[in-house]
Amino acid sequence: MNIAYSTELICFLILSAVIVSGSLAVVLLENIVYSAFLLGGVFMAVAGLYLLLNASFVAAAQILVYVGAVNVLILFAIMLVNNKEKLEPIKGLKTRKLISGGVCGGLLILLLRVSITTKWNLPGPTSVGEEATERIGEHLFTDYLLPFELASILLLMAMIGAIVLARRDVSISTADINNLKNQKSLSDKKIPLLSENSIK
């Protein structure tokens, strides 16, 4: 075991520990703001794993898309939520948690079984280096064109759904509408932009 392999192994263990602990904290913490920031840390750690695999372009895309776009979008959504609104207690919450925990535990066991029983081809293929971006572009527009287009449509639908959910219907009473109709425009009122005190 040489120094480079030991360093890579230590970095992998540290990043894996950050991902596992951060993911658990994202799910278990009650403060959603802390969960959002921890989710950004998890995304950064995943980008670190990509760097260990010599996939610098994927690591940059991970940071730009997930940290710079998705995580910021989540934070904006949290800020737009009305905190004064009291949430009603959810019926059968414990049962739902047990079912969700069972499903997640089953998926974890399935992944562990696949990783243990699969005969991995070690060492893996050699890194393509600077040609990685060109190879990704070729595969996206040839072999994986249909999934790429479907993902684009899915993102477009998600964006339209976010716009529909963020739109607020404002109800104005009839008396307010009549007041607005009778009210003169600001230009008719000739309101000075600077008061005399501010000029002095």
Side-chain angles (χ1 to χ4, degrees):
M1 181 180 294
N2 53 18
I3 296 176
Y5 181 77
S6 302
T7 306
E8 186 177 359
L9 182 61
I10 291 171
C11 292
F12 173 76
L13 293 175
I14 292 173
L15 291 173
S16 301
V18 169
I19 291 172
V20 173
S21 59
S23 302
L24 289 174
V26 168
V27 177
L28 297 177
L29 283 180
E30 293 183 357
N31 193 325
I32 194 169
V33 178
Y34 293 156
S35 298
F37 280 108
L38 285 171
L39 184 62
V42 171
F43 288 153
M44 294 287 287
V46 173
L49 287 181
Y50 288 139
L51 285 177
L52 287 179
L53 294 172
N54 290 325
S56 56
F57 176 78
V58 182
Q62 168 79 15
I63 293 173
L64 289 175
V65 175
Y66 285 95
V67 181
V70 175
N71 201 23
V72 172
L73 181 64
I74 291 173
L75 286 172
F76 271 107
I78 292 171
M79 287 190 290
L80 290 174
V81 171
N82 187 8
N83 292 326
K84 295 179 181 178
E85 184 179 356
K86 293 182 179 178
L87 299 177
E88 296 180 356
I90 301 173
K91 296 180 181 178
L93 184 60
K94 292 183 178 179
T95 306
R96 295 183 183 186
K97 285 183 178 180
L98 288 175
I99 294 173
S100 302
V103 172
C104 293
L107 289 174
L108 178 62
I109 293 172
L110 183 63
L111 286 174
L112 290 175
R113 184 180 181 279
V114 170
S115 65
I116 293 172
T117 57
T118 302
K119 295 181 180 178
W120 302 101
N121 186 15
L122 296 176
T126 56
S127 175
V128 294
E130 299 294 332
E131 297 179 359
T133 308
E134 186 178 349
R135 294 280 185 87
I136 290 172
E138 287 178 1
H139 285 296
L140 282 180
F141 289 101
T142 54
D143 301 332
Y144 300 101
L145 180 61
L146 182 60
F148 180 71
E149 294 297 333
L150 289 177
S152 304
I153 295 172
L154 183 63
L155 288 174
L156 179 63
M157 292 173 63
M159 188 167 56
I160 295 173
I163 293 171
V164 172
L165 290 175
R167 192 184 67 178
R168 293 182 178 178
D169 294 330
V170 179
S171 60
I172 302 175
S173 62
T174 309
D176 293 335
I177 294 174
N178 292 330
N179 290 333
L180 290 173
K181 288 180 179 178
N182 297 328
Q183 204 171 32
K184 293 182 178 179
S185 62
L186 291 176
S187 59
D188 295 336
K189 292 181 179 180
K190 297 180 180 178
I191 300 173
L193 296 177
L194 295 174
S195 62
E196 295 180 1
N197 296 329
S198 62
I199 296 173
K200 292 178 182 178

